[in-house]
């Protein structure tokens, strides 16, 4: 079985850039891998992602939102992640179960234990071997998001997430940090305010150790 590695954090934390750089590193080491993301990595997921991002045109309560993310995950795990792991690939996944707990649980206020329980239906027994949490203050996250919107890099439906009130993002950040504190062996908290190369250095050090252990 390959390694399952997830990348998490609040908006603008730089995780997507870091996933790309980590994939380049695995390439250079000749390690077969797959880069994937939630939501949106399957044909069903693409529809769900569009629905989630166009939510201004209809009402979507937190419970329904949770089930959309979980439906995306249920399909993604079985169609994409598990087959790749079974082929021995290292899977780098941009967001996974922790995002539902942080955003729908801590952020939207759904009961965390219930979110966790429902997530087990979606994710089955799949748990990440390692999770990188790119942590940064909400103010920095919002500044980065605003800069992206200002420079036209952000497509408008995505802005919806980025316009959520600051308090929501604070709850999400706190949620992630709580999760990381409870599972220190799985989580690696990385200071997301650092330079891209420095952040990647931290990720690579961890990946090297992990891959070495997995080979034994
Ligand atoms: P991203 O593509 O920038 O990661 O954005 C995906 C958005 O979806 C982001 O705001 C976090 C949110 N999300 C949840 O709220 N719950 C989830 O379970 C997942 C996977 C993502």
């Amino acid at each position: 079985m390959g390694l399952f590695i997830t990348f998490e954090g609040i908006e603008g934390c730089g995780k997507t850039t870091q996933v790309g750089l980590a994939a380049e590193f695995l390439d250079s080491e000749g390690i077969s891998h797959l880069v994937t993301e939630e939501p949106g990595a399957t044909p069903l997921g693409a529809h769900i992602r569009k629905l989630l991002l166009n939510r201004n045109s209809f009402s979507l309560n937190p419970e329904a939102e949770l089930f959309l993310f979980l439906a995306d995950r249920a399909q993604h795990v079985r169609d994409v992640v598990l087959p790749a792991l079974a082929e021995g690939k290292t899977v780098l996944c941009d967001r996974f179960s922790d995002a539902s707990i942080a955003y729908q649980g801590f952020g939207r206020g759904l009961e965390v234990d219930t979110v966790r329980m429902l997530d087990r239906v979606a994710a089955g027994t799949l748990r990440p071997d390692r999770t990188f949490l790119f942590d940064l203050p909400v103010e920095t996250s919002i500044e980065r998001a605003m800069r992206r919107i200002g420079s036209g890099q952000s497509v408008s439906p995505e802005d919806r997430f980025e316009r959520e009130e600051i308090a929501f993002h604070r709850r999400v950040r706190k949620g992630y940090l709580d999760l990381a504190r409870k599972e220190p062996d799985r989580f690696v908290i990385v200071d997301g305010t650092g330079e891209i190369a420095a952040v990647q250095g931290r990720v690579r050090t961890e990946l090297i150790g992990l891959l070495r252990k997995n080979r034994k």
Side-chain angles (χ1 to χ4, degrees):
M1 279 295 261
L3 287 168
F4 182 43
I5 301 169
T6 58
F7 293 71
E8 300 278 2
I10 58 175
E11 258 63 27
C13 68
K15 68 184 165 46
T16 307
T17 304
Q18 294 299 329
V19 172
L21 293 170
E24 277 177 24
F25 171 66
L26 294 182
D27 260 339
S28 70
E29 295 288 305
I31 292 162
S32 133
H33 61 275
L34 173 84
V35 173
T36 188
E37 63 170 349
E38 290 193 358
T42 63
L44 171 73
H47 287 292
I48 292 175
R49 188 175 179 100
K50 231 179 267 160
L51 266 177
L52 284 162
L53 296 174
N54 285 308
R55 62 174 66 204
N56 287 340
S57 49
F58 50 88
S59 120
L60 180 67
N61 58 46
E63 290 80 2
E65 180 190 64
L66 172 66
F67 280 108
L68 288 177
F69 282 113
L70 296 183
D72 171 78
R73 184 162 307 132
Q75 201 70 34
H76 183 221
V77 164
R78 289 157 187 84
D79 287 3
V80 177
V81 181
L82 290 177
L85 291 173
E87 285 173 23
K89 288 186 179 153
T90 294
V91 176
L92 306 179
C93 189
D94 191 336
R95 296 198 189 280
F96 192 61
S97 298
D98 298 308
S100 301
I101 297 170
Y103 279 83
Q104 281 64 55
F106 287 86
R108 301 263 186 244
L110 297 182
E111 213 201 351
V112 167
D113 285 343
T114 308
V115 176
R116 216 185 277 278
M117 184 190 78
L118 293 171
D119 177 64
R120 282 201 199 109
V121 180
T125 55
L126 181 63
R127 303 276 176 280
D129 294 295
R130 203 59 108 243
T131 298
F132 290 102
L133 172 59
F134 299 92
D135 181 55
L136 79 179
V138 169
E139 290 71 18
T140 315
S141 135
I142 289 176
E143 255 169 50
R144 285 187 185 176
M146 288 305 159
R147 239 181 286 142
R148 259 205 331 259
I149 293 167
S151 67
Q153 273 178 42
S154 184
V155 280
S156 58
E158 301 225 32
D159 298 351
R160 193 212 63 79
F161 278 112
E162 293 166 345
R163 288 203 204 104
E164 299 281 0
E165 80 277 31
I166 292 182
F168 171 78
H169 290 291
R170 288 222 170 93
R171 290 195 298 276
V172 174
R173 181 188 185 200
K174 182 184 172 301
Y176 271 130
L177 288 171
D178 267 24
L179 291 173
R181 263 181 229 118
K182 286 198 183 110
E183 280 186 79
D185 291 343
R186 172 164 71 90
F187 275 92
V188 180
I189 304 179
V190 183
D191 177 4
T193 62
E195 291 293 318
I196 291 177
V199 174
Q200 181 61 196
R202 177 90 176 79
V203 171
R204 287 187 185 185
T205 305
E206 194 64 36
L207 283 178
I208 290 166
L210 200 57
L211 291 163
R212 209 170 279 156
K213 227 173 29 192
N214 199 44
R215 270 196 213 115
K216 281 184 190 155

